[in-house]
Amino acid sequence: SFDYRFSAQRNLRAWMLYHKVLPLILLGSSASSEYDSEAKVEIARLYGNLNEYAYYFTDILVGSPHPQLTSVIVDTGSHIVGFPCTGCVHCGQHLEPAVDISKSTTATWLGCSARCPSCEDDKCSYSEEYSEGSSISGHWFEDYLKLGDAPSENPPVRARMGCHNKENKLFYSQRANGIMGLAPSSPTSHPLSVGNAAEAHVMPTVLDDLFKDDEHVDSRIFSICLAEWGGLLTVGGYSKEHHLAKDGSGVTWVPMRAERYYFVFPEVFTLQDSVIALDPNEFGVSIIDTGTTLTYFPEVVYNTLVTDLQTYCAGHAGCDATQHTYGEEICWRLHHPDAEPTEFPTLSIKFVDTDWKVDWSPHSYLNRRPDNLWCYGFRKHSSTQTIFGISWMLHKDAIFDLKHSRFGMAEANCPEYRKVPGLWERISSNLVGLGLETRWPAVLLTAAFVAALSGVALRIVLSRPRSRADQTDAALLSQE
């Protein structure tokens, strides 16, 4: 005879395991990326890669009652949160559909007023150009914004956002829909500022909007943990879960000035016993910018760094690699397939007013390319400025503590995630239609239960022998 109850239990367990494993296979790490209500910290997955994308991005949900998902580059060097909307006259093909503002009952356009220096079609407009030549333009609106996708369950905040009606160059061709500027606000940081610097109205950025929600966000701190693929964004604090030193002792704190940009003050740059730079003036003005792919140094610092690396490798068996060029880039081909650049030296930067140094490992300042090539993740700047870009922050948790005017770095095993275009969006749209967009665990269990009942019915029809119910969960999964 056939034990239907036993079969149902096995089938339910298999489907529950399936629904737990499938999202992790598709998205990557099993690390928690849900809102932490006890610590009052918002958490969102990051996607992207230095070589494949040249940036890192996250999802946001816009509007109500049915939030629309869009993807935005995480950029600590700019202030606007904006993305294409329906009706855009010149926008590219991106990961998600354009946001349809008309579907949100809580959206309001910002009208023309003294606070709005640019007005078009009775709406407050913006036009922004970026250093590499790309540009965006559109109109401002206010609506509810949730950080991350539906499974993150972060609380919504009322925020000012930009609705693009025109994109050019990189904004047009990029895969992510838009941009989320996380640079700090200042009287001159926003196109809606009016008056002189002393009397200007400080237009809040999305970071200000998130921080002012003190019911859900504890502190004026956010962190960005970057893995080779994806990572984690936290707002309201930082998590030591992924730090190599989980007791917090591994965080190196340096002074930071958050005024329009995140300024830091490097003083000494070394390659073991070799000094690359010995004075803050050699670095010039220095900022931390996740919107810049590589790290840029003034020409003198850059040239010294390249020379010292070549000298070091010449005295250490070539660092087990041979120097090559990859287009205009300086690269090294490792001698052994699938090897890591472990023979290259670690670089260190000491900052002013502290004895702490931030190490820069070869896994970060060298970027993996095809054919066992590792290329420099730094370039020379055309002026005396230093930009600490993505390549400087890889495999670390970068902590922006605006509350205490300091910047922290911790070596970390940041969780990895890869974007699966359309997966969560399709599921989310169905859940939203049922009013269940924030109740993922219950929905998955319900789906597992329904699947289990379906499996029982199928087994009754087929009259499968009892021995089939003795298979392991793994075997069941492989058949499903």
Short mmCIF file of all heavy atoms in Angstrom, two decimals, residues 63-66 68 85-86 98-109 141 143 163:
data_model
loop_
_atom_site.label_atom_id
_atom_site.label_comp_id
_atom_site.label_asym_id
_atom_site.label_seq_id
_atom_site.Cartn_x
_atom_site.Cartn_y
_atom_site.Cartn_z
N GLY A 63 6.72 54.67 -5.03
CA GLY A 63 5.29 54.89 -5.14
C GLY A 63 4.45 53.96 -4.28
O GLY A 63 4.95 53.10 -3.55
N SER A 64 3.13 54.17 -4.39
CA SER A 64 2.16 53.35 -3.67
C SER A 64 0.81 53.48 -4.39
O SER A 64 0.61 54.43 -5.16
CB SER A 64 2.06 53.81 -2.20
OG SER A 64 1.52 55.11 -2.13
N PRO A 65 -0.14 52.61 -4.19
CA PRO A 65 -0.09 51.48 -3.25
C PRO A 65 0.71 50.29 -3.78
O PRO A 65 0.98 49.36 -3.03
CB PRO A 65 -1.57 51.11 -3.10
CG PRO A 65 -2.17 51.47 -4.43
CD PRO A 65 -1.45 52.71 -4.86
N HIS A 66 1.04 50.28 -5.06
CA HIS A 66 1.80 49.18 -5.65
C HIS A 66 3.17 49.70 -6.08
O HIS A 66 3.32 50.24 -7.18
CB HIS A 66 1.05 48.59 -6.85
CG HIS A 66 -0.36 48.18 -6.54
ND1 HIS A 66 -0.68 47.46 -5.42
CD2 HIS A 66 -1.52 48.40 -7.21
CE1 HIS A 66 -1.98 47.24 -5.40
NE2 HIS A 66 -2.51 47.81 -6.47
N GLN A 68 6.79 50.39 -7.56
CA GLN A 68 7.45 49.96 -8.79
C GLN A 68 8.96 49.87 -8.54
O GLN A 68 9.55 50.79 -7.98
CB GLN A 68 7.15 50.94 -9.92
CG GLN A 68 5.67 51.06 -10.25
CD GLN A 68 5.41 52.18 -11.25
OE1 GLN A 68 5.86 52.12 -12.39
NE2 GLN A 68 4.66 53.18 -10.82
N CYS A 85 11.39 57.65 -16.53
CA CYS A 85 9.96 57.47 -16.34
C CYS A 85 9.30 57.29 -17.71
O CYS A 85 9.88 57.61 -18.74
CB CYS A 85 9.34 58.66 -15.61
SG CYS A 85 9.96 58.86 -13.92
N THR A 86 8.09 56.77 -17.71
CA THR A 86 7.36 56.58 -18.96
C THR A 86 7.22 57.93 -19.67
O THR A 86 6.99 58.96 -19.04
CB THR A 86 5.98 55.97 -18.71
OG1 THR A 86 5.29 56.78 -17.74
CG2 THR A 86 6.09 54.56 -18.20
N ALA A 98 10.60 51.54 -17.31
CA ALA A 98 10.54 52.91 -16.79
C ALA A 98 9.41 53.01 -15.75
O ALA A 98 8.39 52.34 -15.85
CB ALA A 98 10.30 53.89 -17.92
N VAL A 99 9.63 53.85 -14.75
CA VAL A 99 8.63 54.05 -13.71
C VAL A 99 7.46 54.87 -14.27
O VAL A 99 7.66 55.89 -14.94
CB VAL A 99 9.25 54.77 -12.49
CG1 VAL A 99 8.18 55.16 -11.48
CG2 VAL A 99 10.30 53.88 -11.84
N ASP A 100 6.25 54.42 -14.00
CA ASP A 100 5.05 55.12 -14.45
C ASP A 100 4.47 55.89 -13.26
O ASP A 100 3.81 55.31 -12.40
CB ASP A 100 4.04 54.12 -15.00
CG ASP A 100 2.84 54.81 -15.66
OD1 ASP A 100 2.67 56.02 -15.45
OD2 ASP A 100 2.09 54.11 -16.38
N ILE A 101 4.75 57.18 -13.23
CA ILE A 101 4.32 58.00 -12.09
C ILE A 101 2.80 58.02 -11.96
O ILE A 101 2.26 58.11 -10.85
CB ILE A 101 4.86 59.44 -12.24
CG1 ILE A 101 6.40 59.42 -12.27
CG2 ILE A 101 4.39 60.33 -11.10
CD1 ILE A 101 7.03 58.88 -11.03
N SER A 102 2.09 57.90 -13.06
CA SER A 102 0.62 57.98 -13.02
C SER A 102 0.01 56.82 -12.24
O SER A 102 -1.15 56.89 -11.82
CB SER A 102 0.06 58.00 -14.44
OG SER A 102 0.29 56.76 -15.10
N LYS A 103 0.77 55.75 -12.02
CA LYS A 103 0.24 54.60 -11.29
C LYS A 103 0.39 54.74 -9.78
O LYS A 103 -0.09 53.88 -9.03
CB LYS A 103 0.95 53.32 -11.75
CG LYS A 103 0.61 52.92 -13.19
CD LYS A 103 1.27 51.59 -13.55
CE LYS A 103 0.87 51.16 -14.96
NZ LYS A 103 1.51 49.87 -15.35
N SER A 104 1.04 55.79 -9.33
CA SER A 104 1.19 56.02 -7.90
C SER A 104 0.20 57.08 -7.44
O SER A 104 0.17 58.19 -7.98
CB SER A 104 2.61 56.46 -7.57
OG SER A 104 2.73 56.78 -6.20
N THR A 105 -0.58 56.74 -6.44
CA THR A 105 -1.58 57.69 -5.93
C THR A 105 -0.97 58.69 -4.96
O THR A 105 -1.65 59.64 -4.56
CB THR A 105 -2.70 56.92 -5.22
OG1 THR A 105 -2.15 56.17 -4.13
CG2 THR A 105 -3.41 55.97 -6.18
N THR A 106 0.29 58.49 -4.59
CA THR A 106 0.91 59.38 -3.61
C THR A 106 1.97 60.30 -4.22
O THR A 106 2.61 61.06 -3.51
CB THR A 106 1.57 58.54 -2.49
OG1 THR A 106 2.40 57.53 -3.09
CG2 THR A 106 0.51 57.87 -1.63
N ALA A 107 2.17 60.22 -5.54
CA ALA A 107 3.18 61.04 -6.20
C ALA A 107 2.67 62.45 -6.45
O ALA A 107 1.50 62.64 -6.81
CB ALA A 107 3.59 60.40 -7.52
N THR A 108 3.53 63.44 -6.22
CA THR A 108 3.20 64.83 -6.53
C THR A 108 4.40 65.48 -7.22
O THR A 108 5.54 65.31 -6.80
CB THR A 108 2.87 65.63 -5.25
OG1 THR A 108 3.97 65.55 -4.34
CG2 THR A 108 1.62 65.08 -4.58
N TRP A 109 4.14 66.19 -8.30
CA TRP A 109 5.19 66.91 -9.00
C TRP A 109 5.54 68.17 -8.23
O TRP A 109 4.67 68.82 -7.65
CB TRP A 109 4.76 67.29 -10.41
CG TRP A 109 4.52 66.12 -11.31
CD1 TRP A 109 3.33 65.60 -11.69
CD2 TRP A 109 5.53 65.33 -11.94
NE1 TRP A 109 3.52 64.52 -12.52
CE2 TRP A 109 4.85 64.34 -12.70
CE3 TRP A 109 6.93 65.35 -11.95
CZ2 TRP A 109 5.54 63.38 -13.45
CZ3 TRP A 109 7.60 64.41 -12.69
CH2 TRP A 109 6.93 63.43 -13.43
N PHE A 141 9.84 65.18 -8.47
CA PHE A 141 8.57 64.80 -7.86
C PHE A 141 8.85 64.24 -6.46
O PHE A 141 9.99 63.92 -6.12
CB PHE A 141 7.82 63.76 -8.72
CG PHE A 141 8.43 62.38 -8.70
CD1 PHE A 141 7.88 61.37 -7.92
CD2 PHE A 141 9.54 62.08 -9.49
CE1 PHE A 141 8.42 60.10 -7.91
CE2 PHE A 141 10.10 60.80 -9.49
CZ PHE A 141 9.53 59.81 -8.70
N ASP A 143 7.51 61.31 -3.59
CA ASP A 143 6.73 60.09 -3.43
C ASP A 143 7.42 59.21 -2.38
O ASP A 143 8.49 59.55 -1.88
CB ASP A 143 6.60 59.34 -4.76
CG ASP A 143 5.36 58.46 -4.81
OD1 ASP A 143 4.74 58.23 -3.75
OD2 ASP A 143 4.99 58.02 -5.92
N CYS A 163 12.64 62.44 -12.25
CA CYS A 163 12.04 61.63 -13.31
C CYS A 163 12.70 62.04 -14.63
O CYS A 163 12.41 63.10 -15.18
CB CYS A 163 10.54 61.92 -13.34
SG CYS A 163 9.56 60.66 -14.12
#
